[in-house]
Amino acid sequence: MNETLNIAEQTLVLHRHPRNKQETLQAWDSADEYLINYFTDNELGKHLGADEQMLLINDSFGALSCYFQEIERTAISDSYISLSSIKLNMQRNNCSEENIVVQDSLQNFPSNVKIVLIKIPKTLSYLEFLLQKLREVITPETIIVAAGKVNMIHNSTLALFEQYIGSTKTSLAKKKSRLIFSLVEQQNIPEKEIAITWEIEKQQWKIHNHANVFSRNHLDIGGRFLMDNLPEGPFSKVVDLGCGNGIVGMAAAEAYPNAQVTFIDESYMAIDSARINMAKNLPEDQSENARFVVNNGLVGFKPKTYDLILCNPPFHQQQAITDNIAWSMFNDARFCLVDGGELVIVGNRHLDYQDKLERIFGNCELVSENQKFVILRAVKED
């Protein structure tokens, strides 16, 4: 696996995070390369004034942030792992941190933006959220270039750029990636609420979902299956690991009313949605006994702390399908569980999580199953 990016007279050493000893994927893609080459070939940097800066949106692992190290810039992402990767790869390449601000997408965008480089996200709703926020800070002189894999750029993608920015065109494809160019035009665009709310009838909960939260339009069927199969026991410290909008942790808060429930996700929007949903739907004393943490799983948490960890693990990282995150979650869960503590997960039947749990914990019990999912339980033994 190549960790060295040689491009436009720079050499960068870039790692994906979390690190994986058997990593086969690069920390950059052809869309990153296309953006960098277009910027340098067209000398876009000459358009930056003394008090103006570049905005980098969805820089996955820091290729763009590291390459443009001499330019004042703000890097924005909803991913804690991406923002952490930017910082780590900047340190790896001895990039100064003096002229970069790294922030999550819920924060206000900077107002002195002249050049915007965007990596196209997976979800259309998140792209719309970003473009709506971007619209607030750009001017007709702002240069906007986006990039993504060809299979991620659809007519609906271009329509959003047309709606929020202005006249839009695309480049020819190179290495299966394409550029999008938008001219900022004066348009009267009414503000739209991108976040949505829907109801879970069984609990009579009204669920708030930000634009980039998994299963944002409806109750995730895997999550529902886990909610219906929570273990019985006098649990006092519970984790909803990879919580998304927080529905599994909320079910745990109801099932174990005296427990402290910790919600963990690497998405800032997910954690904010979970916080809102707890406050809206559960009694104040239960909401006050909840913790909300944006983090890479349980990395950095204390050992032997929790007696129950609930998890619906993702099997992708951004556009890449991988079981690395599940492996990491299961290993960290064992580290953080007290002796006799339980990890209970829901997963697609074909993912063979049972084998992983048996290798990590030395045991695994099939709690329940249906045509699509299994509920598995592993106990940390002395």
Side-chain angles (χ1 to χ4, degrees):
M1 186 270 302
N2 184 20
E3 295 181 341
T4 304
L5 172 61
N6 293 296
I7 189 167
E9 300 183 350
Q10 283 197 44
T11 298
L12 301 171
V13 178
L14 301 168
H15 295 173
R16 292 176 69 95
H17 295 97
R19 292 298 304 276
N20 176 33
K21 293 179 181 178
Q22 286 80 41
E23 187 62 76
T24 59
L25 300 171
Q26 293 181 158
W28 70 91
D29 61 18
S30 58
D32 292 306
E33 295 180 23
Y34 211 161
L35 280 172
I36 290 170
N37 285 324
Y38 180 83
F39 182 97
T40 55
D41 292 346
N42 292 275
E43 299 181 320
L44 295 188
K46 67 184 181 183
H47 296 281
L48 283 165
D51 297 321
E52 296 174 325
Q53 67 164 300
M54 173 188 289
L55 186 60
L56 303 174
I57 299 178
N58 295 334
D59 184 7
S60 301
F61 296 101
L64 300 177
S65 299
C66 290
Y67 182 84
F68 296 110
Q69 58 190 278
E70 301 299 327
I71 297 174
E72 183 180 348
R73 62 215 184 281
T74 296
I76 290 175
S77 175
D78 182 49
S79 166
Y80 175 91
I81 291 176
S82 289
L83 296 184
S84 299
S85 297
I86 289 171
K87 295 174 184 177
L88 290 167
N89 277 319
M90 284 184 59
Q91 293 171 9
R92 185 168 287 114
N93 290 278
N94 297 313
C95 302
S96 170
E97 297 182 9
E98 292 182 358
N99 54 356
I100 186 170
V101 174
V102 179
Q103 68 176 60
D104 70 80
S105 53
L106 289 172
Q107 295 176 263
N108 292 330
F109 287 11
S111 59
N112 61 336
V113 174
K114 184 58 179 286
I115 299 174
V116 182
L117 302 184
I118 306 172
K119 292 285 295 295
I120 299 296
K122 281 196 311 181
T123 59
L124 208 60
S125 57
Y126 181 45
L127 176 61
E128 184 172 13
F129 169 86
L130 293 168
L131 294 179
Q132 181 170 269
K133 289 196 70 171
L134 185 60
R135 181 73 206 182
E136 298 172 0
V137 300
I138 56 179
T139 71
E141 287 72 45
T142 306
I143 298 168
I144 299 176
V145 186
K149 293 291 187 181
V150 170
N151 61 4
M152 293 179 61
I153 299 176
H154 312 285
N155 289 337
S156 54
T157 311
L158 303 179
L160 284 178
F161 278 90
E162 291 268 2
Q163 177 184 347
Y164 285 97
I165 309 300
S167 300
T168 296
K169 62 180 182 179
T170 61
S171 71
L172 297 174
K174 289 185 180 180
K175 295 183 180 180
K176 299 182 180 179
S177 288
R178 194 184 297 277
L179 298 179
I180 298 173
F181 309 99
S182 284
L183 295 176
V184 181
E185 297 172 345
Q186 297 292 345
Q187 302 180 82
N188 184 18
I189 306 170
E191 187 171 346
K192 174 183 176 183
E193 179 57 69
I194 308 296
I196 63 172
T197 301
W198 42 268
E199 187 171 344
I200 300 179
E201 293 183 2
K202 184 176 180 180
Q203 280 84 5
Q204 295 186 325
W205 292 342
K206 291 190 180 297
I207 300 299
H208 172 99
N209 273 53
H210 278 304
N212 197 38
V213 179
F214 174 70
S215 192
R216 95 182 205 100
N217 296 304
H218 54 81
L219 176 58
D220 168 43
I221 54 177
R224 165 54 77 191
F225 195 36
L226 183 53
M227 290 167 66
D228 291 341
N229 286 277
L230 295 179
E232 295 182 2
F235 301 110
S236 61
K237 287 196 172 183
V238 180
V239 174
D240 182 358
L241 181 57
C243 66
N245 56 26
I247 57 170
V248 170
M250 291 166 63
E254 280 201 332
Y256 323 117
N258 296 318
Q260 179 191 74
V261 180
T262 300
F263 296 77
I264 303 173
D265 204 288
E266 73 102 22
S267 162
Y268 291 87
M269 286 190 169
I271 288 297
D272 197 56
S273 294
R275 184 185 294 111
I276 291 169
N277 289 331
M278 277 291 290
K280 278 186 174 181
N281 293 289
L282 291 182
E284 186 175 339
D285 57 340
Q286 288 178 313
S287 298
E288 289 179 350
N289 207 22
R291 296 172 62 225
F292 302 90
V293 184
V294 182
N295 197 60
N296 173 20
L298 289 160
V299 173
F301 279 63
K302 294 179 180 179
K304 297 187 176 182
T305 302
Y306 301 99
D307 46 22
L308 176 63
I309 296 175
L310 305 167
C311 185
N312 182 0
F315 52 91
H316 56 79
Q317 184 177 15
Q318 297 169 15
Q319 281 74 44
I321 296 175
T322 175
D323 65 355
N324 293 342
I325 296 176
W327 268 111
S328 177
M329 284 179 161
F330 299 163
N331 277 294
D332 291 346
R334 187 183 186 283
F335 179 77
C336 292
L337 283 169
V338 299
D339 293 339
E342 302 179 18
L343 170 65
V344 179
I345 74 159
V346 61
N348 292 75
R349 296 176 63 94
H350 70 276
L351 293 175
D352 195 24
Y353 286 148
Q354 187 159 353
D355 177 66
K356 291 180 173 60
L357 292 174
E358 286 177 347
R359 291 166 65 181
I360 294 168
F361 285 82
N363 65 86
C364 181
E365 172 194 354
L366 175 63
V367 175
S368 186
E369 62 182 327
N370 60 26
Q371 289 186 333
K372 188 171 183 180
F373 296 102
V374 293
I375 303 288
L376 302 173
R377 172 179 174 266
V379 179
K380 181 177 180 179
E381 298 175 339
D382 296 348

